[in-house]
Structure formats: C-alpha cells, structure tokens
Amino acid sequence: MSAPKFAIGNWKMNGLRADQREIDALIAAHPDPGCGVVICPPATLIADLARQSVDSKLSIGGQDCHADAIGAHTGDTSAEMLADVGAAYVILGHSERRTNHRETDAEIAAKVTAAWRADLVAVLCVGETEAERDAGATLSVLSQQIAGSLPAGANPARTIIAYEPVWAIGTGRVAETAQIAEAHKALRDDLTKSLGAAAASAIPILYGGSVKPANAAEIFAVPNVDGALVGGASLKAADFGAIIAALEGA
Ligand code: PEP
C-alpha cells in the first residue's frame, strides 16, 4: 500500500481574522483535491477556520500541543482542546519549537502520544541542522529523532512524518533532490524496521523547507516523497493552491 499524499500548510505566527479570506479562496479553488489538504493556523484562528471549513475537504490542525489533557500549564493548549474546536491534525517537533523552546525528543514523544489519545493525526517533524549535515551526521540524526520522538506502535492513519532540513526552512534554500531522496529512503527504512513494511509504506513522509510553486513538482517526483509541509508559501491561497495542483499531478 502506498501512503496517501498531503499538502500541509504551517502558518506559524502569521494570520489575523482578515486572513480567513485565504481559506475561502482555497476551498473555492480546490473543492475536491486529489490529496489531503490541511492548514495549521495560529491557535487564535483554529476554531474559526474549523467552522469555516466544516463542509469542505479542507482540514485544520494545530502547531503544537501539551502532553497533558488538562492542568496548571499557563499558556499551553492540550490535544483534547485542539480536537474540541475542530482540529484534526497537530504539528509536533517542528525545528522552531525544538530550538526556541528546547523541546527534547522525549517531550515530543509525549506530545505525539497525547495527539493520538485525542484522535488527532500527529505530523512529526524531523531534520538535521546545517552543522549536522556538514559533519555527515544527517541520517544518524534522523534515526535518533525517529527513535526518540515517535512512540512505539504508530498507527499509519494517525501518523505523518515531515522531513525538514533545518537549514532549508524559511531560507529559500531547498535541499537537492538527491538529498531529499536519501533522507526519505532512510526514514522509510527506519519505519520499516520498527513497524514492518506494510505500516511503514502507509505512513506519509512529507518534505518541508522552502517549497514553492516553482519547485514543488520537482520535489514531488522524488521517490518516497508523499507531499509537503509548507510554511511561507501556504499563507496565500494562490501559492498553496499551485503546490496542491503540483501534488495532484505527481
Ligand atoms: C515550515 O514551517 O515547516 C517550513 C517548511 O517553512 P518554509 O516552507 O517557509 O520553509
């Protein structure tokens, strides 16, 4: 079985209520996409966007969650709370959270478990820094991150992996297709070792890092690339729509 394809937009800390018009435009332009389409807006917009897209094929996700369901965690949001307002996905372990909030693999694994507990699809991000790539450590870093942040027994229907080389995120520098192919094959092999071939082949592995309309088709042609996690180019419906179209045609 091959994995379903996904285009997932990460709005990061961008988006005000006025930007909901981008969601209307996206739904109007892609009412029946040939891939999963998810927008992960800032927490302030999740409920509104979930309501706005309820009768469409567009899904909404969070950008992080706490490992606990409730409790004294000022400023945090639980997976159950995301699900309660209509999110179906949550990005976890994004490099900006690993760096800015010093999230460890163990903490990320606990968040993935929380996402599954709340019936969310966990979009688990992994990726090497430029220094790690230069040191020839890319594949071992990816293996360690998967071993440390993906809990045992992952259900393919609730799990998406995003390979995001840190040096390619928001920089305009895209990994070469050979680098993407090598990393995605290694990730698929790691998943096969831990979950078996059938489950591993059903888990989407997305590429993330400066995906744009102009480079999307080339990236989607790489073996084991099942779509993209898109930051900057997901903010405008026209750009994200062009990436969706490239994935549909892949
Ligand atoms: C991201 O935020 O995960 C990302 C890949 O950003 P960008 O597409 O802007 O590089």
Side-chain angles (χ1 to χ4, degrees):
M1 181 165 72
S2 62
K5 297 180 193 177
F6 280 90
I8 302 184
N10 173 16
W11 279 15
K12 312 193 189 197
M13 200 173 72
N14 298 289
L16 298 172
R17 295 174 82 184
D19 296 302
Q20 291 178 27
R21 62 179 169 239
E22 297 299 330
I23 297 301
D24 284 331
L26 192 62
I27 293 170
H30 299 274
D32 194 15
C35 59
V37 180
V38 183
I39 290 287
C40 300
T44 49
L45 291 180
I46 292 174
D48 281 352
L49 265 51
R51 262 194 300 272
Q52 197 180 343
S53 57
V54 73
D55 290 324
S56 78
K57 299 269 173 76
L58 174 70
S59 298
I60 302 300
Q63 298 175 12
D64 178 47
C65 71
H66 196 278
D68 293 347
I70 54 167
H73 303 294
T74 303
D76 283 319
T77 305
S78 71
E80 282 76 2
M81 291 168 177
L82 294 176
D84 186 47
V85 294
Y89 294 76
V90 61
I91 297 170
L92 295 170
H94 191 282
S95 70
E96 287 152 15
R97 293 207 61 89
R98 289 180 187 262
T99 304
N100 300 350
H101 299 268
R102 297 190 179 79
E103 289 189 6
T104 64
D105 281 336
E107 285 164 346
I108 295 161
K111 292 179 179 206
V112 173
T113 300
W116 292 341
R117 183 184 67 217
D119 269 344
L120 298 177
V121 176
V123 182
L124 172 62
C125 302
V126 295
E128 81 287 0
T129 63
E130 187 157 33
E132 288 164 342
R133 175 162 286 277
D134 289 347
T138 297
L139 300 189
S140 62
V141 166
L142 297 181
S143 276
Q144 267 169 31
Q145 289 178 339
I146 289 290
S149 56
L150 183 64
N155 174 350
R158 289 273 174 270
T159 309
I160 294 174
I161 304 295
Y163 167 58
E164 298 208 304
V166 178
W167 48 272
I169 296 176
T171 59
R173 292 173 59 197
V174 188
E176 291 165 18
T177 51
Q179 294 172 326
I180 299 173
E182 182 188 43
H184 280 237
K185 164 123 183 27
L187 286 166
R188 187 81 69 200
D189 289 348
D190 269 354
L191 294 174
T192 302
K193 272 184 220 137
S194 55
L195 298 170
S201 65
I203 293 181
I205 305 179
L206 313 185
Y207 169 78
S210 299
V211 177
K212 309 284 178 213
N215 60 27
E218 189 183 4
I219 292 167
F220 295 149
V222 175
N224 286 304
V225 173
D226 302 308
L229 178 55
V230 184
S234 70
L235 294 172
K236 293 289 170 211
D239 290 341
F240 196 48
I243 293 169
I244 293 167
L247 185 55
E248 289 171 328

